[in-house]
Amino acid sequence: MTEPSRLRRPAPRPVGSIVLGVGRIARGRADGVTQFSGTPQAFLSSLAPLLAFALVGCFLLLLHGDGLPAVTELLQTVVIALAPAVLSEPIARFWGRREQWLRFATALNWCQWAMPVAVAFGLMFGSLLPLFGASTAQAGRVVVA
């Protein structure tokens, strides 16, 4: 027996790769946003790793006996993680793009991981420059640039 149509959920729309989307956006390609889903579950999934590090840090500070700093840092991280999404929603509504906002917020959360990767590669590259005759100051300027 088949399920009544009013109870059936629509089939989930296939979405691309998060890594591919972050890579495309990092290279300035707007089509990278299409790799992300615009569902509440996708948004919460994009928040999970951002908040997981804060929870681990809070736990470690609590073990060390620093209760107030632990809670303060956890709340600070939650506010910092949610602020871009909260502040961008009224702008999206004003521009008539509210339907695309959740996808944007999800992409924004995942794309925050591109910066530490870029910095790590920059630092590795900069640490190799003195081996090829560059001064430490020159290598530092290259890394910053």
Side-chain angles (χ1 to χ4, degrees), residues 12-18 20-21 32-39 42 103 106:
R13 192 173 70 77
V15 184
S17 164
I18 291 170
L20 182 63
V33 175
T34 62
Q35 299 293 315
F36 299 94
S37 176
T39 64
R103 179 180 293 224
T106 302

Side-chain angles (χ1 to χ4, degrees), residues 12-134:
R13 192 173 70 77
V15 184
S17 164
I18 291 170
V19 174
L20 182 63
V22 170
R24 286 184 179 186
I25 291 172
R27 289 183 308 207
R29 296 186 54 187
D31 67 337
V33 175
T34 62
Q35 299 293 315
F36 299 94
S37 176
T39 64
Q41 180 61 40
F43 177 71
L44 292 173
S45 295
S46 71
L47 275 176
L50 297 173
L51 298 179
F53 283 104
L55 286 171
V56 170
C58 178
F59 178 72
L60 292 175
L61 283 174
L62 286 173
L63 286 178
H64 191 262
D66 297 329
L68 185 60
V71 174
T72 302
E73 286 194 30
L74 177 64
L75 293 175
Q76 178 182 352
T77 303
V78 170
V79 169
I80 289 170
L82 292 175
V86 170
L87 296 174
S88 64
E89 194 275 336
I91 295 169
R93 196 172 350 108
F94 176 77
W95 284 340
R97 311 245 332 162
R98 177 62 177 87
E99 300 79 35
Q100 291 86 13
W101 167 77
L102 197 54
R103 179 180 293 224
F104 161 78
T106 302
L108 180 67
N109 286 340
W110 283 117
C111 286
Q112 290 183 37
W113 292 101
M115 185 58 76
V117 171
V119 168
F121 279 115
L123 290 173
M124 284 190 302
F125 177 72
S127 68
L128 294 176
L129 290 177
L131 297 175
F132 295 103

